[in-house]
Amino acid sequence: MPQSVPSLPRRVARMLRTSLFAQVGVALVLGIVVGRLWPDTATTFQPLGDGFIRLIKTVISPLVFCVVVVGIAKAGNLKAFGRIGLKALIWFEVASTAALLIGLVAANLFGPGSGMNVDPSKLDTSAVDAKTAGGELPTTGEFLLNALPQSAIGAFAENALLQVLVLACLTGAALLHLGHTKVPKILPAIEQAQEVIFAIVGFVMKLAPLAVFGAMVHLVGEYGLGVMKTYAKLIILCYAVAVAFLVLLGVALKLMTGLSLWKFVRYTRAEMLLALGTASSESVMPRMMQKLRQAGARDDAVGLVLPTGYSFNLDGASIYLSIGTLFIAQAVGVDLSLSQQVTVILVLMLTSKGMAGIPGSAFLALSATAASLGAIPAGAVALLLGVDRIMDSMRVATNLLGNCVAVFAVSKWEGALDTDRAKKMLNGEIEFVEEDEPGAGGSEATGGGSEATGSGTEATDSGVEAAAPEPPKAGTKEPVPGAS
């Protein structure tokens, strides 16, 4: 007898029960509706989003540490890890500079601030001081020094990812130097800790719909939709430039790896929607690491490139800063010369690298740029206060996709990407399995797992030993890494 097709309500109920994307999507719509109808409830629901981000941040540092240490130890090649880091920095600099240039060209062509004729002396700059909390961007020397941990516990307590990366690299190098015979229990313990952390991530992710709902109620209720009319030209331009930049990134990804950025967006649609809803790319970093590993990127590449990109590869922020600088100049009637615009690029290339984790960092970078030019009143930065929160979605999505593209590109460049597996995963031929499930995402993840079979190596006490993976049988789907 033919199987009965479930009714529409049952299919919808099942999708809402099993699909994170559907749950987050519904929460997003409900948040907008509640924020629009009852704006006074904005602050009431804000702790839902803030609390979720706090819980996720709790596991980011230990997760990055475990993934990087296991990646180095299993790959068995510290020089390869150093090459990955160098290639990642090269990619970050090229990508972020391209984002700055594209933003600057677009702002010159479309003039988002032209005709506003704003008197900067009448702007309230105290709100900018409150936004930045009296802070300032670090100098290049301070930024490099701050990347070195002063205390092992402090690096984790402050969630300083660059410091955690340094500790992880030292620990991984020490394990390689000592070999598994001298410290046979350390690496298995770290691998087990990694599994525990992924399980915690799975628990916390169940709260994602509540976080998105709370964040959207706060956004719409606090800022309203009227600001979009006032700054319509600037908002449309920033989002359009971000889309154009992502198209260029997609072309670069296709040329380098043969992978489709659109298919990757579809593969990570739940995480992208969550990042947009909470206006935080950190909220999805653990899940993105899982998905990149299962999509064929080796552990050491994922563990180094993705977290480092959060400090060095802020493509969305670069677009916003370049367009925002010219918007301010145009709004107050200042015509910047070509040499001054070149100065804008040079200053932003430096200031954008020290922005991560600093309150009001975009305004600090804009103020530093205005001060370096000497032609734009520093107080004019206050013009962007009303629209800054609306720009968060553009910055978050562009930053996140830019870093994920960097993982694939650098992995391919270094030979740390299982391209066949990546294509199958993005095409839906292999199903993603939560790594908090029993037997999922174990230590033998093909290409992306900690055994690094995508590179054809397996760590041994004395060195590196070849280990060729068996091809899947014809007519069957390739199993998820480590799944039982």
Side-chain angles (χ1 to χ4, degrees):
M1 293 178 62
Q3 294 181 345
S4 60
V5 179
S7 62
L8 179 60
R10 287 190 176 184
R11 292 202 302 270
V12 171
R14 182 183 178 187
M15 183 172 64
L16 288 175
R17 189 176 64 253
T18 60
S19 171
L20 179 64
F21 176 73
Q23 294 168 3
V24 171
V26 171
L28 190 71
V29 174
L30 288 176
I32 294 173
V33 172
V34 172
R36 186 76 178 91
L37 296 179
W38 299 284
D40 294 338
T41 63
T43 55
T44 304
F45 291 100
Q46 184 181 1
L48 292 176
D50 294 345
F52 174 80
I53 294 173
R54 282 193 177 195
L55 287 173
I56 286 292
K57 284 185 174 182
T58 301
V59 299
I60 285 178
S61 290
L63 177 60
V64 168
F65 178 83
C66 291
V67 170
V68 172
V69 171
V70 171
I72 294 176
K74 288 289 186 178
N77 190 342
L78 195 60
K79 290 183 179 180
F81 195 74
R83 289 197 306 269
I84 291 174
L86 178 61
K87 290 173 181 178
L89 291 177
I90 294 172
W91 177 273
F92 294 158
E93 191 57 49
V94 171
S96 56
T97 302
L100 287 170
L101 289 171
I102 292 171
L104 209 62
V105 171
N108 277 291
L109 289 175
F110 297 99
S114 300
M116 292 185 69
N117 300 319
V118 174
D119 183 357
S121 63
K122 296 181 180 180
L123 294 173
D124 181 14
T125 59
S126 60
V128 176
D129 296 332
K131 184 83 172 179
T132 58
E136 59 182 21
L137 291 175
T139 63
T140 303
E142 290 172 340
F143 176 70
L144 295 175
L145 187 61
N146 289 338
L148 302 177
Q150 190 172 10
S151 161
I153 297 175
F156 287 93
E158 296 170 8
N159 227 20
L161 284 185
L162 291 181
Q163 295 183 15
V164 171
L165 277 172
V166 171
L167 284 172
C169 292
L170 292 173
T171 304
L175 287 177
L176 282 179
H177 176 70
L178 294 173
H180 300 313
T181 54
K182 291 186 178 180
V183 283
K185 297 181 180 180
I186 297 297
L187 185 58
I190 295 176
E191 288 182 291
Q192 292 167 16
Q194 177 177 290
E195 296 300 322
V196 172
I197 295 168
F198 275 129
I200 295 173
V201 171
F203 298 151
V204 176
M205 288 302 294
K206 297 184 186 300
L207 303 175
L210 287 176
V212 171
F213 174 75
M216 291 311 298
V217 172
H218 177 253
L219 171 62
V220 177
E222 184 76 15
Y223 297 93
L225 301 177
V227 68
M228 299 186 72
K229 298 178 182 178
T230 306
Y231 291 93
K233 193 173 182 180
L234 175 63
I235 294 171
I236 292 172
L237 180 62
C238 284
Y239 276 81
V241 171
V243 170
F245 178 77
L246 290 176
V247 169
L248 293 177
L249 268 186
V251 172
L253 179 66
K254 190 73 174 178
L255 292 174
M256 286 193 67
T257 67
L259 303 178
S260 166
L261 182 58
W262 171 249
K263 289 182 179 179
F264 178 77
V265 172
R266 188 176 60 188
Y267 169 59
T268 58
R269 58 188 180 275
E271 291 73 26
M272 292 301 303
L273 198 59
L274 175 58
L276 290 173
T278 58
S280 169
S281 55
E282 286 186 335
S283 66
V284 296
M285 183 194 284
R287 283 271 297 196
M288 280 299 193
M289 293 180 78
Q290 291 183 40
K291 289 210 160 181
L292 288 166
R293 292 169 70 210
Q294 291 196 27
R298 209 169 64 197
D299 265 16
D300 49 354
V302 174
L304 180 62
V305 178
L306 190 64
T308 308
Y310 275 63
S311 294
F312 287 92
N313 192 40
L314 304 173
D315 298 329
S318 297
I319 291 171
Y320 174 63
L321 289 174
S322 57
I323 295 178
T325 301
L326 260 68
F327 168 80
I328 294 169
Q330 293 163 359
V332 298
V334 174
D335 186 19
L336 296 180
S337 65
L338 179 60
S339 61
Q340 288 175 316
Q341 293 191 32
V342 171
T343 302
V344 168
I345 292 292
L346 295 176
V347 172
L348 290 178
M349 282 174 62
L350 296 175
T351 56
S352 63
K353 298 298 182 293
M355 287 174 55
I358 300 175
S361 56
F363 290 96
L364 290 171
L366 288 168
S367 298
T369 306
S372 67
L373 292 174
I376 305 175
V381 174
L383 276 171
L384 291 174
L385 279 170
V387 75
D388 185 68
R389 181 62 181 83
I390 304 296
M391 294 298 186
D392 275 347
S393 296
M394 180 275 293
R395 290 193 295 244
V396 165
T398 311
N399 289 345
L400 184 57
L401 283 174
N403 287 327
C404 291
V405 168
V407 171
F408 281 126
V410 174
S411 297
K412 180 67 175 179
W413 190 0
E414 179 57 26
L417 176 66
D418 186 341
T419 307
D420 290 338
R421 178 177 179 81
K423 289 180 179 179
K424 290 179 181 178
M425 182 65 82
L426 299 190
N427 288 333
E429 297 175 35
I430 306 175
E431 184 180 355
F432 172 76
V433 174
E434 298 280 355
E435 296 194 16
D436 60 293
E437 294 183 4
S443 61
E444 295 181 2
T446 305
S450 52
E451 192 171 300
T453 54
S455 64
T457 61
E458 182 182 60
T460 62
D461 293 343
S462 58
V464 179
E465 180 181 293
E470 288 185 14
K473 294 180 181 179
T476 62
K477 288 187 177 181
E478 187 174 335
V480 176
S484 56

